[in-house]
């Protein structure tokens, strides 16, 4: 079966219209329209309130929703939906992105929205809008204040169903304070944030001195103030930007070099350049280290938290100079970055590049207009209210007649006409009285109405003065700016530097040179090294408070040996030790790291001395608690630690030191106040496995409290401190005696020696003994210095009461160093 086609019916009067359009003209026209839309409706801020349309719509909508700082937070999705449905015909993603930026304190110098929830970090994005909450921040209130008082123009929204403000009243100079960034078609803007207090000071100066030049304004605004702090290096580009609207400057992280662990120094970053997050810096450092373009970095840790803020720790390997590495980090990583200023904003709907004074003038002119329009609105409102109050005053003179007149009238129109005739009221006044409830009319007090009339007349007079006197208008604007700065101003965060500093005549080497140095051990078990080749002139026997009990010459990249009470010799890298400042002008050393940070000590094991790791020289001398003495050659093994004496059960080393010449006297002091000294030559050197030989003969219950080696001189003294064996250690001051060492004759090895201290009543032992070249220095457990009596004690005499318990005694460093 064939299908019959239906003919198309065309009206007889239909004419085909084909318009010939040049493709080039059409593209040019369409592109210009699109470019204008992007520039005006999306990318560029208005120079008056410093806001892009989406930001302005967000703040206006939140104000309409009543999301003030004293109200609770609401879901961000609710705000985004309200903005999108009423005012912003674009995707919710763009609206939420703008809202998030207005929350982030690292993006805006003065955040406009108070967020609750995860709004991201400099390296990570925020949570979805359904998870976060927001409300207006305190700084947003001046931005929208008096918007309902005809202060700004309104225009139809995208569907002409509602009205939206074309600009906000903006009592805060938002464009300069928070800056702006955006990319339009054929142009872009990038404006740096500034300090609110400084901007207000410049504005107030410009109010009183309209002809002020750029130099005068830069006395108040010396440069940008970035939300993330940091430093700005070089201000020439800043001045160019303030003068022409275009310029650039360098931003640098705020850093300090400190001991991040007892064994390592590090670079601690507390502030980063604007727009740079810690993850970006970490990734760049790791890439450079892997590519072997950056050396000397052991580890990078991000220890940022809500309490301490940003803390990026860059550990430096031992043997490298942190200062040199820091310069490389500034050069190769985003720890130093540039910011290009391009002050493009809309002025009267047209994009313009503005200098600092132009930006301030545009904002001031906007505030003049806002205050002027607000004053007109308030004056008219007050005049209308005054008109009604005057009508009430006329009516209240004979309130009974007014009531009777109203009741006797048959219609409202008749009542109004009679009120206007009898009391000489205007139509507005009569209508107001008729619309008022009778009970309210009867409660009015003539005195209250008179006071209200006076207040309204005063207010109108003040507003008229503002409108008629330009100086008064400027004063109001200036005072309101001062109030804003007082309420929302914060101290400057960014440090401005004219330059990075004078270049050093000698570059800092990357690696630490193998220069000679000294390594110290203090009585508080602190280890440190100093760059001094020689100890200070007064001996430098004190490190802060605690005294230096051992010292050894070495080099910065060398090793030293640590002698312990268990007879071990432990190898220690000098580079691991903290470096103390030069002691050339400071006889007391400051600082040091605990021994426990470098050595794994067993139980009650403790460090008794230091030595150089060399097989040359007369070797080491050791004395034990049970009176054993040993000389051993300091042979160096390929191990981290090894034994240098074989100890009997219950025995321990009480003194170990490196001999300088081999001609020293070895000295024992026992707990029962016996002293024995004999030449070191009387002890034959042994191998490492040897257990030593008898040094001093001990009485029953006695033990060695001191062992040392020295070459006696006229300044050599003996310090003895007696006490009770029943007292807890460190609780009894005891009796102290300082005696010239020449008082004690030498005796043969393995003998009992001679008495060196007579006990007082209640004392039965020596708690501390020390012999060496004076002047001796003493310290308490706390590290505080303890004064010792003069060296006038008799060989077998008693001591004098000490001021406090003594924990350690030591001699000047120079007298214990091997040549």
């Amino acid at each position: 079966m064939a299908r019959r086609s239906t003919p198309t019916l065309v009206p007889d009067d239909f004419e085909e219209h084909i318009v010939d359009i040049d493709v080039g003209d059409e593209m040019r026209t369409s592109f210009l329209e699109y470019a204008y839309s992007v520039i005006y409706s999306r990318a560029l801020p208005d120079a008056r309130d410093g806001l892009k349309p989406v930001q302005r719509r967000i703040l206006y909508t939140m104000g309409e929703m009543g999301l003030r700082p004293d109200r609770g937070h609401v879901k961000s999705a609710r705000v985004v939906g309200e903005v999108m449905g009423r005012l912003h015909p674009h995707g919710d993603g763009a609206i939420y992105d703008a809202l998030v930026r207005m929350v982030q304190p690292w993006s805006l110098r003065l955040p406009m929205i108070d967020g609750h929830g995860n709004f991201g970090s400099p390296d990570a994005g925020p949570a979805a809008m359904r998870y976060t909450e927001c409300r207006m921040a305190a700084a947003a209130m001046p931005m929208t204040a008096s918007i309902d008082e005809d202060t700004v123009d309104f225009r139809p929204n995208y569907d002409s169903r509602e009205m939206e403000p074309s600009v906000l009243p903006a009592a805060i100079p938002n464009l300069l304070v928070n800056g702006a960034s955006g990319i339009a078609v054929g142009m872009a803007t990038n404006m740096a944030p500034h300090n609110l207090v400084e901007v207000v000071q410049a504005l107030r100066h410009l109010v009183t001195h309209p002809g002020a030049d750029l130099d005068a304004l830069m006395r108040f605004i010396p440069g940008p103030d970035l939300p993330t702090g940091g430093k700005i290096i070089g201000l020439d580009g800043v001045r160019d930007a303030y003068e022409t609207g275009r310029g650039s400057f360098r931003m640098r992280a705020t850093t300090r070099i400190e001991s991040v662990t007892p064994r390592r120094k590090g670079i601690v970053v507390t502030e980063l350049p604007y727009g740079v997050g810690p993850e970006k810096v970490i990734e760049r450092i790791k890439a450079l280290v892997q590519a072997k373009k950056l050396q000397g970095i052991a580890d990078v840790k991000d220890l940022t938290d809500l309490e301490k803020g940003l803390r990026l720790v860059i550990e430096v390997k031992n043997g490298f100079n942190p200062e040199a590495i820091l310069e490389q980090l500034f050069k190769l990583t985003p720890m130093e970055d540039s910011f290009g200023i391009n002050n493009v904003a809309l002025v009267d709907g047209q994009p313009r590049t503005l200098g600092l004074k132009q930006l301030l003038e545009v904002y001031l002119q906007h505030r003049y207009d806002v205050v002027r329009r607000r004053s007109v609105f308030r004056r008219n409102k007050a005049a209308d209210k005054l008109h009604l109050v005057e009508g009430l005053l006329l009516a209240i003179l004979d309130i009974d007649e007014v009531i009777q007149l109203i009741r006797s009238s048959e219609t409202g129109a008749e009542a109004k006409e009679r009120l206007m005739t009898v009391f000489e009221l205007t139509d507005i006044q009569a209508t107001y009285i008729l619309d008022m409830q009778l009970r309210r009319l009867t409660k009015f007090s003539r005195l209250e109405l008179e006071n209200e009339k006076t207040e309204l007349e005063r207010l109108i007079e003040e507003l008229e003065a503002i409108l008629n006197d330009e100086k008064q208008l400027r004063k109001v604007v200036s005072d309101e700016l001062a109030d804003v700065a007082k309420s929302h101003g914060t101290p400057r965060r960014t440090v401005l530097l004219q330059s990075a500093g004078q270049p050093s005549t000698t570059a800092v080497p990357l690696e630490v040179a193998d220069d000679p140095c000294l390594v110290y051990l203090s009585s508080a078990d602190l280890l440190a090294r100093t760059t001094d080749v020689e100890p200070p002139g007064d001996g430098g026997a004190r490190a802060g408070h605690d005294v230096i009990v051992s010292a050894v010459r070495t080099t910065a990249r060398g090793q030293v040996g640590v002698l312990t009470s268990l007879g071990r010799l432990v190898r220690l890298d000098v580079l691991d030790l903290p470096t103390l400042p030069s002691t050339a002008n400071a006889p007391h050393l400051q600082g040091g790291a605990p021994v426990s940070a470098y050595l794994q000590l067993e139980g009650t094991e403790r460090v008794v001395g230091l030595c150089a790791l060399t097989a040359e020289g007369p070797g080491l001398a050791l004395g034990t608690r049970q009176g054993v003495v040993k000389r051993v050659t300091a042979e160096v093994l390929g191990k981290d630690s090894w034994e240098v004496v074989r100890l009997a059960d219950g025995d321990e080393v009480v003194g170990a030191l490196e001999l300088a010449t081999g001609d020293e006297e070895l000295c024992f002091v026992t707990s029962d106040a016996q002293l024995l000294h004999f030449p070191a030559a009387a002890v034959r050197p042994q191998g490492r496995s040897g257990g030593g030989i008898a040094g001093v003969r001990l009485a029953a219950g006695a033990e060695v409290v001191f062992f040392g080696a020295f070459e006696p001189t006229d300044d050599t003294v003996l310090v003895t401190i007696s006490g009770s064996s029943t007292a807890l250690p460190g609780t009894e001051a005891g009796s102290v005696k300082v005696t010239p060492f020449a008082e004690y004759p030498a005796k043969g090895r393995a003998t009992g020696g001679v008495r060196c201290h007579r006990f007082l009543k209640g004392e039965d032992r020596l708690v501390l003994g020390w012999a060496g070249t004076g002047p001796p220095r003493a310290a308490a457990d706390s590290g505080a210095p303890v004064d010792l009596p003069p060296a006038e004690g008799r060989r077998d005499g008693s001591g004098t009461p000490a001021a406090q318990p003594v924990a350690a005694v030591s001699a000047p460093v120079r007298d214990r160093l091997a040549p």
Side-chain angles (χ1 to χ4, degrees), residues 649-675:
D649 293 341
D651 200 4
E652 66 174 359
V653 177
V654 295
L657 62 161
E658 187 175 6
L659 298 177
T661 63
D663 297 328
E664 293 89 347
E665 286 283 305
L666 303 183
C667 179
F668 283 94
V669 178
T670 68
S671 60
D672 58 348
Q674 294 295 120
L675 181 145

mmCIF file of all heavy atoms in Angstrom, residues 649-675:
data_model
loop_
_atom_site.group_PDB
_atom_site.id
_atom_site.type_symbol
_atom_site.label_atom_id
_atom_site.label_comp_id
_atom_site.label_asym_id
_atom_site.label_seq_id
_atom_site.Cartn_x
_atom_site.Cartn_y
_atom_site.Cartn_z
ATOM 1 N N ASP A 649 84.365 -7.982 89.593
ATOM 2 C CA ASP A 649 82.948 -7.847 89.927
ATOM 3 C C ASP A 649 82.750 -6.729 90.949
ATOM 4 O O ASP A 649 83.455 -6.666 91.963
ATOM 5 C CB ASP A 649 82.416 -9.159 90.494
ATOM 6 C CG ASP A 649 82.385 -10.275 89.449
ATOM 7 O OD1 ASP A 649 82.431 -9.922 88.248
ATOM 8 O OD2 ASP A 649 82.335 -11.448 89.836
ATOM 9 N N GLY A 650 81.822 -5.858 90.681
ATOM 10 C CA GLY A 650 81.512 -4.770 91.599
ATOM 11 C C GLY A 650 82.426 -3.576 91.493
ATOM 12 O O GLY A 650 82.210 -2.583 92.197
ATOM 13 N N ASP A 651 83.439 -3.638 90.649
ATOM 14 C CA ASP A 651 84.370 -2.527 90.515
ATOM 15 C C ASP A 651 83.925 -1.610 89.384
ATOM 16 O O ASP A 651 83.176 -2.019 88.471
ATOM 17 C CB ASP A 651 85.782 -3.042 90.262
ATOM 18 C CG ASP A 651 86.856 -2.009 90.599
ATOM 19 O OD1 ASP A 651 86.479 -0.926 91.103
ATOM 20 O OD2 ASP A 651 88.042 -2.286 90.369
ATOM 21 N N GLU A 652 84.411 -0.363 89.416
ATOM 22 C CA GLU A 652 84.115 0.586 88.341
ATOM 23 C C GLU A 652 85.226 1.614 88.271
ATOM 24 O O GLU A 652 85.980 1.805 89.232
ATOM 25 C CB GLU A 652 82.782 1.289 88.572
ATOM 26 C CG GLU A 652 82.758 2.204 89.779
ATOM 27 C CD GLU A 652 81.455 2.994 89.872
ATOM 28 O OE1 GLU A 652 80.605 2.839 88.988
ATOM 29 O OE2 GLU A 652 81.316 3.776 90.836
ATOM 30 N N VAL A 653 85.345 2.254 87.132
ATOM 31 C CA VAL A 653 86.362 3.284 86.930
ATOM 32 C C VAL A 653 85.861 4.586 87.541
ATOM 33 O O VAL A 653 84.743 5.024 87.263
ATOM 34 C CB VAL A 653 86.664 3.466 85.433
ATOM 35 C CG1 VAL A 653 87.672 4.597 85.228
ATOM 36 C CG2 VAL A 653 87.195 2.181 84.821
ATOM 37 N N VAL A 654 86.694 5.197 88.391
ATOM 38 C CA VAL A 654 86.329 6.479 88.988
ATOM 39 C C VAL A 654 87.057 7.635 88.325
ATOM 40 O O VAL A 654 86.643 8.786 88.445
ATOM 41 C CB VAL A 654 86.609 6.485 90.502
ATOM 42 C CG1 VAL A 654 85.727 5.490 91.218
ATOM 43 C CG2 VAL A 654 88.078 6.225 90.788
ATOM 44 N N GLY A 655 88.143 7.358 87.623
ATOM 45 C CA GLY A 655 88.880 8.400 86.943
ATOM 46 C C GLY A 655 89.632 7.834 85.763
ATOM 47 O O GLY A 655 90.228 6.762 85.853
ATOM 48 N N ALA A 656 89.571 8.528 84.616
ATOM 49 C CA ALA A 656 90.295 8.102 83.413
ATOM 50 C C ALA A 656 90.687 9.341 82.655
ATOM 51 O O ALA A 656 89.849 10.226 82.432
ATOM 52 C CB ALA A 656 89.422 7.182 82.562
ATOM 53 N N LEU A 657 91.935 9.407 82.255
ATOM 54 C CA LEU A 657 92.391 10.594 81.557
ATOM 55 C C LEU A 657 93.593 10.263 80.692
ATOM 56 O O LEU A 657 94.251 9.227 80.864
ATOM 57 C CB LEU A 657 92.730 11.702 82.529
ATOM 58 C CG LEU A 657 93.859 11.478 83.545
ATOM 59 C CD1 LEU A 657 94.330 12.820 84.074
ATOM 60 C CD2 LEU A 657 93.366 10.617 84.704
ATOM 61 N N GLU A 658 93.866 11.141 79.758
ATOM 62 C CA GLU A 658 94.974 10.975 78.829
ATOM 63 C C GLU A 658 96.215 11.639 79.404
ATOM 64 O O GLU A 658 96.185 12.807 79.783
ATOM 65 C CB GLU A 658 94.594 11.593 77.483
ATOM 66 C CG GLU A 658 95.590 11.330 76.380
ATOM 67 C CD GLU A 658 95.102 11.876 75.044
ATOM 68 O OE1 GLU A 658 94.049 12.542 75.034
ATOM 69 O OE2 GLU A 658 95.778 11.650 74.043
ATOM 70 N N LEU A 659 97.314 10.878 79.454
ATOM 71 C CA LEU A 659 98.575 11.420 79.949
ATOM 72 C C LEU A 659 99.222 12.296 78.891
ATOM 73 O O LEU A 659 99.163 11.991 77.689
ATOM 74 C CB LEU A 659 99.519 10.283 80.346
ATOM 75 C CG LEU A 659 99.034 9.362 81.476
ATOM 76 C CD1 LEU A 659 100.033 8.242 81.708
ATOM 77 C CD2 LEU A 659 98.798 10.156 82.748
ATOM 78 N N ALA A 660 99.837 13.380 79.337
ATOM 79 C CA ALA A 660 100.461 14.308 78.397
ATOM 80 C C ALA A 660 101.919 13.957 78.133
ATOM 81 O O ALA A 660 102.377 13.973 76.978
ATOM 82 C CB ALA A 660 100.352 15.740 78.930
ATOM 83 N N THR A 661 102.664 13.645 79.170
ATOM 84 C CA THR A 661 104.107 13.393 79.011
ATOM 85 C C THR A 661 104.541 12.038 79.552
ATOM 86 O O THR A 661 105.601 11.539 79.191
ATOM 87 C CB THR A 661 104.907 14.488 79.733
ATOM 88 O OG1 THR A 661 104.619 14.433 81.132
ATOM 89 C CG2 THR A 661 104.525 15.878 79.197
ATOM 90 N N GLY A 662 103.814 11.459 80.428
ATOM 91 C CA GLY A 662 104.209 10.234 81.099
ATOM 92 C C GLY A 662 104.991 10.488 82.376
ATOM 93 O O GLY A 662 105.350 9.553 83.088
ATOM 94 N N ASP A 663 105.285 11.764 82.674
ATOM 95 C CA ASP A 663 106.012 12.113 83.885
ATOM 96 C C ASP A 663 105.070 12.582 84.990
ATOM 97 O O ASP A 663 105.519 13.113 86.015
ATOM 98 C CB ASP A 663 107.038 13.216 83.589
ATOM 99 C CG ASP A 663 108.094 12.753 82.602
ATOM 100 O OD1 ASP A 663 108.416 11.551 82.605
ATOM 101 O OD2 ASP A 663 108.572 13.602 81.816
ATOM 102 N N GLU A 664 103.763 12.446 84.809
ATOM 103 C CA GLU A 664 102.806 12.927 85.793
ATOM 104 C C GLU A 664 102.829 12.068 87.060
ATOM 105 O O GLU A 664 103.369 10.958 87.081
ATOM 106 C CB GLU A 664 101.374 12.911 85.212
ATOM 107 C CG GLU A 664 101.141 13.900 84.078
ATOM 108 C CD GLU A 664 101.447 13.329 82.718
ATOM 109 O OE1 GLU A 664 102.081 12.232 82.639
ATOM 110 O OE2 GLU A 664 101.080 13.952 81.721
ATOM 111 N N GLU A 665 102.255 12.618 88.106
ATOM 112 C CA GLU A 665 102.014 11.899 89.342
ATOM 113 C C GLU A 665 100.590 11.354 89.300
ATOM 114 O O GLU A 665 99.649 12.085 88.956
ATOM 115 C CB GLU A 665 102.170 12.821 90.556
ATOM 116 C CG GLU A 665 103.595 13.188 90.895
ATOM 117 C CD GLU A 665 104.319 12.052 91.610
ATOM 118 O OE1 GLU A 665 103.812 11.580 92.646
ATOM 119 O OE2 GLU A 665 105.391 11.639 91.106
ATOM 120 N N LEU A 666 100.433 10.056 89.646
ATOM 121 C CA LEU A 666 99.110 9.467 89.763
ATOM 122 C C LEU A 666 98.663 9.595 91.213
ATOM 123 O O LEU A 666 99.435 9.323 92.128
ATOM 124 C CB LEU A 666 99.122 8.012 89.343
ATOM 125 C CG LEU A 666 99.638 7.725 87.920
ATOM 126 C CD1 LEU A 666 99.522 6.236 87.604
ATOM 127 C CD2 LEU A 666 98.889 8.536 86.888
ATOM 128 N N CYS A 667 97.417 10.023 91.424
ATOM 129 C CA CYS A 667 96.945 10.331 92.774
ATOM 130 C C CYS A 667 95.636 9.614 93.062
ATOM 131 O O CYS A 667 94.700 9.675 92.247
ATOM 132 C CB CYS A 667 96.774 11.845 92.929
ATOM 133 S SG CYS A 667 96.173 12.355 94.546
ATOM 134 N N PHE A 668 95.572 8.937 94.216
ATOM 135 C CA PHE A 668 94.346 8.333 94.718
ATOM 136 C C PHE A 668 93.919 9.066 95.981
ATOM 137 O O PHE A 668 94.758 9.400 96.837
ATOM 138 C CB PHE A 668 94.562 6.851 95.075
ATOM 139 C CG PHE A 668 94.598 5.928 93.887
ATOM 140 C CD1 PHE A 668 95.814 5.582 93.295
ATOM 141 C CD2 PHE A 668 93.431 5.389 93.382
ATOM 142 C CE1 PHE A 668 95.844 4.712 92.218
ATOM 143 C CE2 PHE A 668 93.456 4.520 92.308
ATOM 144 C CZ PHE A 668 94.665 4.176 91.720
ATOM 145 N N VAL A 669 92.618 9.292 96.153
ATOM 146 C CA VAL A 669 92.047 9.773 97.409
ATOM 147 C C VAL A 669 90.925 8.806 97.766
ATOM 148 O O VAL A 669 90.058 8.512 96.934
ATOM 149 C CB VAL A 669 91.501 11.209 97.275
ATOM 150 C CG1 VAL A 669 90.866 11.655 98.593
ATOM 151 C CG2 VAL A 669 92.594 12.179 96.854
ATOM 152 N N THR A 670 90.977 8.301 99.013
ATOM 153 C CA THR A 670 90.019 7.279 99.427
ATOM 154 C C THR A 670 88.958 7.858 100.352
ATOM 155 O O THR A 670 89.103 8.966 100.885
ATOM 156 C CB THR A 670 90.744 6.125 100.137
ATOM 157 O OG1 THR A 670 91.264 6.622 101.385
ATOM 158 C CG2 THR A 670 91.875 5.581 99.284
ATOM 159 N N SER A 671 87.917 7.069 100.534
ATOM 160 C CA SER A 671 86.798 7.542 101.349
ATOM 161 C C SER A 671 87.161 7.661 102.821
ATOM 162 O O SER A 671 86.489 8.385 103.569
ATOM 163 C CB SER A 671 85.611 6.591 101.190
ATOM 164 O OG SER A 671 85.962 5.276 101.615
ATOM 165 N N ASP A 672 88.198 6.972 103.280
ATOM 166 C CA ASP A 672 88.606 7.094 104.682
ATOM 167 C C ASP A 672 89.708 8.137 104.861
ATOM 168 O O ASP A 672 90.502 8.074 105.793
ATOM 169 C CB ASP A 672 89.044 5.741 105.250
ATOM 170 C CG ASP A 672 90.194 5.145 104.454
ATOM 171 O OD1 ASP A 672 90.494 5.658 103.350
ATOM 172 O OD2 ASP A 672 90.792 4.158 104.922
ATOM 173 N N ALA A 673 89.766 9.083 103.921
ATOM 174 C CA ALA A 673 90.650 10.258 104.009
ATOM 175 C C ALA A 673 92.110 9.888 103.914
ATOM 176 O O ALA A 673 92.954 10.443 104.642
ATOM 177 C CB ALA A 673 90.364 11.050 105.280
ATOM 178 N N GLN A 674 92.484 8.969 103.035
ATOM 179 C CA GLN A 674 93.878 8.647 102.776
ATOM 180 C C GLN A 674 94.232 9.137 101.369
ATOM 181 O O GLN A 674 93.420 9.019 100.434
ATOM 182 C CB GLN A 674 94.111 7.139 102.867
ATOM 183 C CG GLN A 674 93.920 6.552 104.254
ATOM 184 C CD GLN A 674 94.941 7.086 105.226
ATOM 185 O OE1 GLN A 674 94.597 7.708 106.227
ATOM 186 N NE2 GLN A 674 96.208 6.844 104.949
ATOM 187 N N LEU A 675 95.435 9.679 101.217
ATOM 188 C CA LEU A 675 95.915 10.159 99.920
ATOM 189 C C LEU A 675 97.204 9.448 99.588
ATOM 190 O O LEU A 675 98.124 9.371 100.427
ATOM 191 C CB LEU A 675 96.127 11.666 99.937
ATOM 192 C CG LEU A 675 96.615 12.312 98.621
ATOM 193 C CD1 LEU A 675 96.003 13.694 98.440
ATOM 194 C CD2 LEU A 675 98.134 12.406 98.550
#
